[in-house]
Amino acid sequence: MLNIKDLSRTGTIIFLFFIVCKPAISQDTLFVTLPEFLERGLSNSGQVAYESGKVDLARNRVRTVKSQRIFPRLELNTQHGVVPGVESKRQDLGEGEYYLDPDLENDWNNWAVFTRAELSATQPIYTWGAVSSAVKAAEAGAKSAQYEFSAVKAEARIQLFDLYYSYLLAIEISRILEDANEQLNRVEKNINEMREEGNPDLKESDVFKFEIFKSEFVTRRVEVQQSLDYIKRVWDYALQAEPGVVYMPASNFLDPVPYELQDYDYYRANAVQERPELRGVEFGITALEKRLEAEKARQYPLFFFGITGSFANTPNRPRQTNPFIRNNTNYGSVGVGFGIRQNLNILSMRASVDKARIEYKRVNDLEKAVSDQIILDLNERYREAAVAETRMKQTEEALVTARNWVRNEQLNYDIGFGDVEDFLDAVQKELELRVKLKQNVYDLNKKVAALYKAGGLPISQLNLK
């Protein structure tokens, strides 16, 4: 039977066992698809968040202008305090006739709470369309801000798209260099064997070329590793990675995006209809047109309906009964009527109208400038995408030829008729083409995404995974 001392020893051993066997803190790896990467990157973007604030301000402007349609001026002022009462030595005067006593005095032994409230409001009845035009201008301005925000998001989405595929490119090139390293080790082993055997087929020039290639290869490996580390750091920043969490692409292979190049007119027609920059300018034109109408309407008289009311109450002060006499501490009044308000500063009003007219003309000129820029940008993106597609396909064909070359040189080498220089050239060419193909695939994906953006097409139509 175990005694207390044995139980204590056993518990200590179990405790130490759990301490020793406690798993070390390891990093969690999360695999992220491209759509998930884009969504999370946009939600963490400071530039996107900043631009979204402009949309909120534009919507706030709409609510502010709409609020001017119903009682744009409605004020309530109140005052509160304590005041002394009044006393009269004349017995022939009632409290409502104290204004007739020139010797009326304050009663410093009688204090009471003083309360006064004043309400005033004006409601426009006819403004010559100034209010309705201002509302339409604010609504069009809000839509313009929304499209400007869409353009910023599209640009940010393209940058994140490039970053995602940069990671895949770095992974692919790292894998290619690992394969190439195995081939170089094999070539080096063969060269050493030929040296030991005194094989006359081995030329010193072949050895020098191999050594040079090997040195360049080491440099290339370091460059790729540094690029991969750089991309990882940028990924962590873009995704706001938590400590101990490593984000990686859901796939380790860089393939061309599903894509078929359409006619140029297809992208042009879509760009004219869908580019957010152009739609934003169109709503900007509407906003300034309505603003110009509002400024013109403000030159005419404003007809309004007004309400005013005032009330004061102090218990120790009598209300005066004479309608021409008013006790400011105890009274009540109300008034309702119509009025006309006219700004007589004609020069100032004309200047405001001229300013609105100039801004309206400027935004019309801006529409032409934006259209020109979109067409030029689309032409350039279309050309780049077409060239990138051809370059990738031709590199694929060249890589097939290079692989056949390596296979042929390897076969000759195995049967003893191979040449070191030819084999090394074949291996080097295959390595260059493998890297070039992945680089061209990356360029193609990048150019296609840029073409979609230039054509006003969302890159989500590429069926990204």
Side-chain angles (χ1 to χ4, degrees):
M1 187 174 180
L2 295 175
N3 54 27
I4 299 299
K5 190 175 181 180
D6 295 332
L7 287 174
S8 176
R9 186 184 300 114
T10 303
T12 304
I13 293 173
I14 294 174
F15 175 75
L16 292 175
F17 174 80
F18 279 106
I19 291 295
V20 173
C21 296
K22 182 180 179 181
I25 299 175
S26 60
Q27 290 185 327
D28 294 329
T29 301
L30 295 181
F31 295 96
V32 184
T33 63
L34 178 55
E36 292 171 346
F37 182 76
L38 296 178
E39 182 180 359
R40 182 158 181 167
L42 288 176
S43 64
N44 293 332
S45 171
Q47 181 67 24
V48 172
Y50 172 75
E51 295 296 334
S52 68
K54 294 182 179 178
V55 179
D56 295 337
L57 286 175
R59 290 173 179 167
N60 178 269
R61 170 68 179 167
V62 174
R63 293 194 296 272
T64 301
V65 174
K66 283 185 175 179
S67 68
Q68 298 299 309
R69 294 182 299 187
I70 306 297
F71 288 114
R73 181 174 175 272
L74 178 60
E75 294 180 353
L76 173 64
N77 295 315
T78 67
Q79 299 95 40
H80 308 278
V82 290
V83 296
V86 292
E87 60 181 355
S88 174
K89 296 179 181 177
R90 294 178 56 174
Q91 301 298 323
D92 58 331
L93 298 177
E95 289 186 347
E97 298 171 328
Y98 275 4
Y99 62 90
L100 296 175
D101 184 359
D103 299 323
L104 192 67
E105 297 178 348
N106 289 321
D107 183 0
W108 300 106
N109 296 319
N110 180 19
W111 292 84
V113 176
F114 160 72
T115 299
R116 178 188 294 168
E118 297 173 336
L119 174 69
S120 63
T122 56
Q123 172 61 43
I125 299 175
Y126 189 72
T127 63
W128 308 88
V131 175
S132 60
S133 295
V135 170
K136 292 177 182 177
E139 290 175 340
K143 291 181 179 177
S144 177
Q146 182 64 50
Y147 278 108
E148 290 179 6
F149 178 57
S150 298
V152 172
K153 285 181 67 178
E155 182 63 31
R157 193 176 286 110
I158 289 294
Q159 294 175 356
L160 291 169
F161 181 92
D162 294 346
L163 180 59
Y164 188 89
Y165 278 103
S166 296
Y167 203 153
L168 290 178
L169 176 62
I171 293 174
E172 287 278 15
I173 293 179
S174 297
R175 188 182 299 121
I176 292 171
L177 294 184
E178 287 299 326
D179 295 342
N181 189 50
E182 294 179 3
Q183 288 185 319
L184 288 179
N185 291 334
R186 205 166 73 183
V187 172
E188 187 175 23
K189 181 180 178 182
N190 291 338
I191 290 176
N192 292 333
E193 289 176 355
M194 293 175 73
R195 269 181 169 172
E196 294 175 358
E197 295 171 356
N199 193 328
D201 294 334
L202 180 63
K203 304 175 186 175
E204 287 299 322
S205 60
D206 295 339
V207 177
F208 292 141
K209 287 182 180 178
F210 176 77
E211 294 296 334
I212 293 172
F213 179 72
K214 190 177 176 182
S215 299
E216 294 175 347
F217 181 78
V218 172
T219 304
R220 181 64 173 167
R221 287 190 64 178
V222 172
E223 291 177 351
V224 171
Q225 184 59 47
Q226 289 299 320
S227 298
L228 187 57
D229 293 342
Y230 164 77
I231 292 171
K232 287 179 180 177
R233 290 193 293 270
V234 178
W235 261 56
D236 289 343
Y237 185 78
L239 297 177
Q240 298 292 301
E242 300 174 358
V245 179
V246 177
Y247 291 93
M248 292 189 66
S251 172
N252 288 329
F253 300 98
L254 175 58
D255 299 317
V257 294
Y259 157 74
E260 183 177 353
L261 186 64
Q262 305 288 336
D263 293 336
Y264 169 77
D265 292 339
Y266 167 75
Y267 299 102
R268 187 181 186 282
N270 197 80
V272 172
Q273 293 294 326
E274 302 296 338
R275 277 292 291 263
E277 297 91 340
L278 200 53
R279 299 298 308 278
V281 173
E282 290 172 355
F283 278 104
I285 292 175
T286 302
L288 290 177
E289 181 183 13
K290 295 302 177 183
R291 180 186 168 189
L292 176 60
E293 293 176 0
E295 291 295 338
K296 289 180 178 177
R298 289 192 181 99
Q299 298 178 103
Y300 303 108
L302 167 67
F303 297 90
F304 66 94
F305 171 75
I307 301 175
T308 180
S310 183
F311 167 79
N313 179 60
T314 308
N316 61 352
R317 292 292 183 99
R319 183 183 299 274
Q320 302 304 296
T321 55
N322 190 315
F324 293 100
I325 302 300
R326 172 171 160 172
N327 181 355
N328 289 329
T329 61
N330 207 341
Y331 70 96
S333 65
V334 64
V336 178
F338 298 91
I340 299 175
R341 183 180 299 158
Q342 173 65 56
N343 184 0
L344 297 180
N345 191 337
I346 298 176
L347 295 179
S348 175
M349 289 188 294
R350 285 181 178 177
S352 297
V353 172
D354 291 341
K355 180 182 178 182
R357 188 177 288 114
I358 292 171
E359 291 179 346
Y360 177 64
K361 183 178 181 304
R362 282 190 66 206
V363 78
N364 275 279
D365 295 337
L366 178 63
E367 182 185 27
K368 180 66 170 57
V370 171
S371 298
D372 294 344
Q373 183 62 37
I374 286 176
I375 296 303
L376 292 174
D377 181 54
L378 180 60
N379 270 284
E380 181 65 17
R381 302 307 175 193
Y382 189 85
R383 183 191 67 81
E384 290 178 346
V387 172
E389 183 179 13
T390 302
R391 185 182 293 124
M392 187 207 66
K393 291 180 178 177
Q394 293 303 312
T395 305
E396 278 184 325
E397 295 181 5
L399 180 58
V400 171
T401 303
R403 282 173 172 163
N404 291 333
W405 184 17
V406 171
R407 196 175 299 113
N408 183 64
E409 293 297 332
Q410 181 67 51
L411 183 61
N412 292 336
Y413 213 83
D414 292 340
I415 63 178
F417 295 101
D419 183 84
V420 175
E421 182 179 6
D422 292 341
F423 182 65
L424 193 60
D425 289 343
V427 171
Q428 184 175 359
K429 191 54 149 179
E430 186 201 15
L431 174 62
E432 291 176 357
L433 288 174
R434 287 183 66 185
V435 174
K436 188 175 180 182
L437 176 61
K438 292 304 176 183
Q439 181 67 50
N440 289 344
V441 171
Y442 168 76
D443 289 340
L444 175 63
N445 292 349
K446 187 176 176 181
K447 301 303 181 188
V448 169
L451 174 62
Y452 267 57
K453 174 181 173 293
L457 296 166
I459 59 176
S460 58
Q461 292 188 7
L462 293 170
N463 295 322
L464 306 174
K465 296 180 180 178

